[in-house]
Amino acid sequence: MDCVQQCKIRPILVSVRQALTVILLTSVAIPHLLLQDRISSPEFFTLIYQLIMADGKVYIFDTTLRDGEQVPGCKLNTKEKIELALALESLGVDIIEAGFPISSPGDFESVNQIARVMKETTVCGLTRAVQKDIEVAAEALKPARRPRIHTGIGTSDYHIKAKFNSTREEIIERAVQAVKWAKNFVDDVEFYAEDAGRTDNDYLARVIEAVIKAGATVVNIPDTTGYCLPHQYGEKIAYLINNVPNIDKAIISCHCHNDLGLATANSISGVLNGARQIECTINGLGERAGNTSLEEVVMILRQHANLGYYTDVNTRQLNPLSRLVSDTMRMPVQANKAIVGSNAFSHSSGIHQDGFLKDSQTYEIIAPEEVGADGSKIVLTARSGRSALAHRFQKIGYQYTRNDIDVLYANFLQIADTKKEVEDTDLHAMAKAYEATAVAN
């Protein structure tokens, strides 16, 4: 079920769930909690909203081809964009933001070609709150089975005054007009309130109420500068739920940047407070310090299944797609990157290696095959212990006793102190020398 379908049936679901919720809460839970001052009024309304939105599906909106491509040196041609779009659809993302059609003829063509080949995934085109932008995006999206126009405008005072030299009221008028223009072409319209992270909550609520009334099916609450702390971003989402009367008619989306390293944490906080779409990129690519990392939020929700949220992403494709994106966009993945970094399942400390070899769950909360990684690795360094050394010898065909390993370990440390990592070739040489000494004796 896509966002438009969900928005259409939500009023029915809301009515049913509201009735059931009222029966339950008025008869048992709420009087008890309120009388004991254990739940505040805002918490009460957040609880009601979460019960109404009981479906735990979190939509994954991938913007690798748009925001990810804004990384210097990561420009993609149409052929590359189509290849990655097909891979993203296979991965199971719900929405692909294919580009910014009016920005260049090449981007228009990319969006148009991706719209032609997507079978189930919603194809989205970005615009400003400008009529010509929206018309061009609509034209690019014509072949799409499920088109979405993503339009919006800055809502923080920084943007209103410095960028637009405008007023709050004029910005609301422009936002509403943009949604109405987009609605003339597609049913599925997403509105972004740029720099919502630094926008006054009361004013932001007014903007969101107005654009939903105008027809927006998704409302994007971007932390454009990566400024918010997780609790602040979560509270902002909760504020909208509690103060926007028609919020049940749209899906709330998180679009968080990583300037302070909090993009993933903020997106999860948004979901915990009622958002049901996360905008993210493969490998966390994006403007400046990057965007929310798709692989991170997907695995957080999967690992914490008790929260009741899920995505449709096939996690076994995460590492292969990470490598494809890295190669295609010519942007290496840092070795210690969560989920997809080359060291994500590597163990070099002797204490960790010993525990891992006894039970992998002592130091790994995710099985490598679950995310399409090649497997766990025991890396031999000067910090490694006897258990790891014995394990690596066994892997390359040597069966040594504990006494053998004790003798070999002293030689191993001498080698390990001279290089960053002891390789299989070093182990073969050690074994050859050790066995030659044993024969001579």
Side-chain angles (χ1 to χ4, degrees):
M1 183 184 299
D2 63 24
C3 295
V4 174
Q5 291 170 326
Q6 190 178 94
C7 287
K8 286 179 178 177
I9 70 166
R10 188 175 298 159
I12 300 170
L13 294 175
V14 167
S15 298
V16 173
R17 288 176 184 158
Q18 280 180 332
L20 293 174
T21 301
V22 168
I23 293 170
L24 171 65
L25 297 179
T26 54
S27 63
V28 182
I30 293 304
H32 177 70
L33 293 173
L34 287 174
L35 285 172
Q36 296 187 41
D37 293 325
R38 288 173 59 190
I39 185 166
S40 66
S41 293
E43 288 173 336
F44 167 73
F45 288 111
T46 300
L47 176 61
I48 291 290
Y49 181 83
Q50 289 171 341
L51 286 168
I52 290 170
M53 298 289 289
D55 180 12
K57 166 71 182 284
V58 175
Y59 290 88
I60 297 298
F61 176 113
D62 183 273
T63 185
T64 304
L65 305 183
R66 200 276 301 171
D67 212 327
E69 196 200 23
Q70 291 175 199
V71 176
C74 287
K75 181 73 177 72
L76 297 169
N77 60 39
T78 297
K79 182 180 177 182
E80 290 169 331
K81 276 199 170 190
I82 292 172
E83 180 185 12
L84 292 180
L86 290 169
L88 288 165
E89 181 165 57
S90 176
L91 180 70
V93 305
D94 300 287
I95 305 100
I96 293 174
E97 188 166 49
F100 185 6
I102 203 168
S103 64
S104 73
D107 223 32
F108 177 95
E109 181 65 15
S110 294
V111 174
N112 187 256
Q113 291 300 319
I114 289 169
R116 293 177 190 277
V117 299
M118 290 296 99
K119 296 175 182 176
E120 296 296 333
T121 309
T122 296
V123 181
C124 180
L126 182 72
T127 81
R128 297 164 296 181
V130 175
Q131 187 172 7
K132 184 63 175 177
D133 281 29
I134 293 166
E135 291 171 349
V136 170
E139 184 65 27
L141 291 167
K142 264 187 179 180
R145 181 177 177 184
R146 291 177 174 169
R148 175 185 295 184
I149 291 177
H150 189 188
T151 191
I153 196 167
T155 56
S156 72
D157 287 336
Y158 294 100
H159 285 241
I160 294 172
K161 295 174 182 176
K163 186 173 167 182
F164 297 115
N165 189 28
S166 187
T167 66
R168 287 186 168 189
E169 295 306 317
E170 287 177 354
I171 291 299
I172 291 178
E173 290 174 9
R174 291 178 64 179
V176 167
Q177 183 60 69
V179 171
K180 288 180 177 179
W181 281 329
K183 206 71 177 177
N184 288 331
F185 299 102
V186 296
D187 290 330
D188 193 2
V189 175
E190 177 171 345
F191 174 83
Y192 63 84
E194 190 177 10
D195 204 20
R198 296 187 297 173
T199 299
D200 169 72
N201 284 350
D202 180 64
Y203 175 65
L204 181 62
R206 290 174 55 206
V207 174
I208 297 305
E209 180 180 358
V211 297
I212 293 174
K213 185 177 180 181
T217 51
V218 181
V219 286
N220 178 8
I221 312 302
D223 184 24
T224 306
T225 60
Y227 176 77
C228 289
L229 295 173
H231 77 275
Q232 293 171 329
Y233 188 75
E235 287 168 0
K236 189 174 288 286
I237 300 299
Y239 184 91
L240 296 176
I241 289 169
N242 296 331
N243 292 277
V244 177
N246 55 359
I247 197 65
D248 62 299
K249 293 180 173 60
I251 289 171
I252 300 176
S253 182
C254 308
H255 181 111
C256 299
H257 280 261
N258 207 37
D259 298 70
L260 295 175
L262 294 171
T264 293
N266 283 339
S267 295
I268 296 299
S269 181
V271 169
L272 294 178
N273 283 277
R276 287 297 178 270
Q277 178 177 285
I278 296 177
E279 307 193 6
C280 45
T281 61
I282 299 295
N283 300 335
L285 291 171
E287 189 86 13
R288 303 185 312 280
N291 286 58
T292 300
S293 169
L294 182 149
E295 56 274 9
E296 291 174 13
V297 292
V298 166
M299 290 310 297
I300 287 170
L301 296 178
R302 184 179 175 91
Q303 287 300 112
H304 293 274
N306 60 300
L307 294 174
Y309 306 113
Y310 69 93
T311 72
D312 288 336
V313 168
N314 179 354
T315 62
R316 291 178 182 272
Q317 294 185 27
L318 287 173
N319 267 271
L321 184 50
S322 167
R323 291 191 290 270
L324 177 62
V325 168
S326 176
D327 292 343
T328 306
M329 301 185 81
R330 298 160 288 280
M331 180 60 63
V333 178
Q334 65 189 65
N336 65 332
K337 173 75 172 65
I339 316 300
V340 295
S342 59
N343 287 343
F345 299 96
S346 296
H347 307 271
S348 66
S349 160
I351 295 172
H352 288 218
Q353 290 171 337
D354 181 61
F356 172 79
L357 290 170
K358 290 172 179 173
D359 183 345
S360 63
Q361 293 185 76
T362 54
Y363 287 101
E364 283 187 359
I365 60 170
I366 300 168
E369 58 271 16
E370 190 179 353
V371 292
D374 293 334
S376 302
K377 293 184 287 186
I378 296 294
V379 180
L380 294 180
T381 70
R383 307 286 81 79
S384 298
R386 289 171 175 79
S387 296
L389 182 61
H391 171 77
R392 282 287 295 276
F393 269 126
Q394 186 178 25
K395 281 195 72 174
I396 61 174
Y398 299 96
Q399 302 294 328
Y400 288 128
T401 66
R402 180 67 189 221
N403 288 338
D404 293 329
I405 293 297
D406 285 341
V407 176
L408 286 160
Y409 188 66
N411 186 24
F412 162 76
L413 287 178
Q414 290 180 341
I415 296 171
D417 273 336
T418 66
K419 55 195 307 185
K420 291 183 178 180
E421 182 179 340
V422 177
E423 307 285 355
D424 286 351
T425 53
D426 300 308
L427 296 181
H428 282 299
M430 287 173 56
K432 186 177 180 179
Y434 177 70
E435 291 171 2
T437 302
V439 170
N441 291 336

